[in-house]
Amino acid sequence: MLGWRPEDTRIRNVLSVLHLLLKHETVTRVDLSRMTGLTKTTVSSIVKQMIDHELVKELPATHSGNVGKTPIPLSIRSGAVYTLGVHVGRRSVRTVLLDAKRSILLNGEELPYERLNQKHVLKTLFHAIEELLKSAKQRGIEVKAIGVGIPGPLDVTTGVVKHPPKFRGWNNVALGKMLKERYERQIWIENDANVAALAEKWHGGGQKFDKFMYVLANEGIGAGLVIDGELYQGAYDYVGELGHVLFRIRGRWRYLEDISGLDCLLKRIRSYGISVTKASDVASSLHSCKAKSAVREIMQLIGVAIVNAIHVVGPEAVFIGGEMAALEKTILEPVREVVQKYLFGKQNVEVHLSQVKGDAVSIGAGIYAAKKYLERKCTEELVLGK
């Protein structure tokens, strides 16, 4: 049996306070004590440490007119950490610079790959990171952590990208180690759909919901789950693999993303003699009844997978993002129809397009990196004294 250590309790207490400070724009010591169940003395001690380490600041108190001492609002410092969020997609790399309060400070240029192999993807990735690091430095901003959203499967603990479908040349690539050695910063790697869900939570429609699912519809189709306001991460890093729901098609079992991914849609529309290379091209092809029908059929299959996921997870809402979201109502309506027709019971599960302005994966990756960095800093410096 593992022994209990006093520092384990202190770590849990410090992280409980940190998470609440990250969730709320402002919160008082009294609020923190009530929400965590910790004594006011314990909370005050933790907050003092956070202020001393320049992670948290006190804001001017607003007098309520009540008798007694006016509680002082607390807030995470914007400069507690600056992070770089990176989206390594199947077509391009996107980057964004954020502060600890999840505000977007700079957007990097989207850089497409010269060729779709590991060598050229890495070359583009390094260039994108270095350009935004240079821009941050020119503004006097020191980036402490880099978050990367990339198609899975992957090992978030080791930073190894295993073998993403439809991503040639990637097989057990130690991307985390590679980036850490090159940039000497904390590196955090997560599944692209998972971090996109974080972006929806803090920059999109997910702000209104505690339980929702975000569907990233690109060549691969993934889903990120937010439960009780937190990203849900399952065992083995395989949570939300919506694209690997099985369908029986013409006597064969097929994965959803192998019959309904963006590449499948583009290939099918090209078979009608219509030139399309990306999702935005499809919008201009919808004058063709065949193209419109192809979009509808593919989105109905995705809608079926979403219904199945709703029945398992029970979210309040579903958001659809990724490149396919450029088709707006053309993809939204078929999904809504399937959900309304086949949803078991009388749940009122809302289905929306993503409301994130910008690239959800890079934004979410930066948010993820900030949280992980602050968790480590609080654990190592406030509790362990490293």
Side-chain angles (χ1 to χ4, degrees):
M1 181 177 177
L2 294 175
W4 172 83
R5 301 177 303 170
E7 58 264 34
D8 294 338
T9 299
R10 292 200 296 272
I11 290 171
R12 184 172 64 250
N13 292 346
V14 167
L15 293 184
S16 294
V17 171
L18 172 67
H19 293 161
L20 287 170
L21 284 160
L22 287 170
K23 278 185 178 182
H24 299 275
E25 182 67 26
T26 63
V27 64
T28 67
R29 292 171 177 82
V30 174
D31 294 329
L32 292 171
S33 178
R34 175 178 52 81
M35 289 187 281
T36 60
L38 299 174
T39 67
K40 294 178 182 178
T41 301
T42 299
V43 168
S44 293
S45 174
I46 292 171
V47 169
K48 182 180 184 306
Q49 283 185 293
M50 289 182 169
I51 291 173
D52 290 344
H53 284 76
E54 299 186 332
L55 303 178
V56 172
K57 64 180 179 180
E58 294 182 330
L59 301 175
T62 303
H63 296 283
S64 61
N66 296 330
V67 177
K69 188 176 180 180
T70 303
I72 298 173
L74 305 166
S75 177
I76 288 285
R77 281 184 170 274
S78 297
V81 64
Y82 295 100
T83 61
L84 201 67
V86 184
H87 178 187
V88 182
R90 291 179 172 89
R91 295 167 176 259
S92 64
V93 173
R94 298 183 184 184
T95 53
V96 65
L97 177 70
L98 297 97
D99 64 21
K101 294 180 74 67
R102 309 181 192 91
S103 298
I104 298 171
L105 306 179
L106 289 171
N107 280 292
E109 181 184 357
E110 180 181 2
L111 298 179
Y113 307 128
E114 293 178 15
R115 297 178 188 173
L116 295 178
N117 57 45
Q118 186 189 135
K119 177 183 176 182
H120 284 87
V121 170
L122 289 174
K123 177 184 175 183
T124 306
L125 171 61
F126 298 153
H127 180 66
I129 290 174
E130 284 151 20
E131 284 297 301
L132 202 51
L133 286 176
K134 187 189 302 181
S135 296
K137 187 176 181 181
Q138 289 171 350
R139 289 164 173 78
I141 295 172
E142 183 181 3
V143 175
K144 293 286 189 179
I146 299 173
V148 179
I150 190 168
L154 49 88
D155 186 326
V156 297
T157 303
T158 62
V160 172
V161 182
K162 295 179 180 177
H163 43 83
K166 306 180 183 181
F167 209 178
R168 284 183 290 169
W170 288 74
N171 187 27
N172 293 323
V173 178
L175 184 61
K177 180 181 178 183
M178 199 181 298
L179 294 176
K180 187 173 183 179
E181 290 176 351
R182 188 178 181 97
Y183 298 111
E184 298 181 337
R185 291 169 171 84
Q186 285 190 28
I187 306 295
W188 300 95
I189 296 181
E190 244 298 354
N191 178 276
D192 52 1
N194 283 354
V195 293
L198 282 179
E200 195 69 47
K201 173 61 186 173
W202 299 109
H203 281 256
Q207 295 173 71
K208 298 190 298 182
F209 302 100
D210 283 330
K211 298 177 176 67
F212 69 86
M213 178 169 66
Y214 177 98
V215 177
L216 185 67
N218 293 323
E219 288 88 350
I221 301 171
L225 299 173
V226 170
I227 298 177
D228 296 331
E230 296 287 345
L231 180 65
Y232 176 72
Q233 293 168 298
Y236 313 114
D237 305 318
Y238 282 96
V239 68
E241 290 291 347
L242 196 70
H244 290 84
V245 170
L246 285 166
F247 284 79
R248 188 76 169 171
I249 304 290
R250 299 187 185 91
R252 291 177 57 200
W253 289 105
R254 304 288 302 278
Y255 286 129
L256 173 67
E257 65 183 36
D258 290 336
I259 55 176
S260 295
L262 175 59
D263 54 327
C264 303
L265 175 62
L266 295 174
K267 182 178 179 181
R268 185 166 169 182
I269 293 176
R270 283 196 292 266
S271 73
Y272 304 141
I274 302 170
S275 177
V276 289
T277 59
K278 55 186 183 296
S280 56
D281 295 338
V282 177
S284 60
S285 75
L286 294 178
H287 62 277
S288 163
C289 293
K290 287 184 177 180
K292 195 169 184 178
S293 177
V295 173
R296 182 175 182 80
E297 288 175 22
I298 277 179
M299 292 314 300
Q300 284 176 331
L301 290 174
I302 293 176
V304 170
I306 288 174
V307 168
N308 291 339
I310 290 172
H311 288 156
V312 174
V313 178
E316 301 167 272
V318 176
F319 294 92
I320 303 174
E323 292 184 64
M324 285 193 186
L327 298 176
E328 299 182 342
K329 289 184 179 180
T330 310
I331 67 163
L332 189 61
E333 289 173 356
V335 173
R336 281 179 169 171
E337 288 172 12
V338 171
V339 171
Q340 289 169 3
K341 184 174 182 179
Y342 294 104
L343 191 62
F344 178 73
K346 297 181 179 180
Q347 306 99 311
N348 182 27
V349 181
E350 301 179 25
V351 181
H352 302 283
L353 292 171
S354 171
Q355 296 173 31
V356 177
K357 295 179 180 179
D359 178 61
V361 176
S362 57
I363 294 169
I367 293 171
Y368 180 75
K371 181 181 179 184
K372 302 301 284 188
Y373 173 89
L374 292 172
E375 286 176 344
R376 178 177 287 184
K377 185 177 180 70
C378 285
T379 299
E380 293 182 351
E381 296 185 12
L382 275 64
V383 180
L384 302 179
K386 291 184 178 179

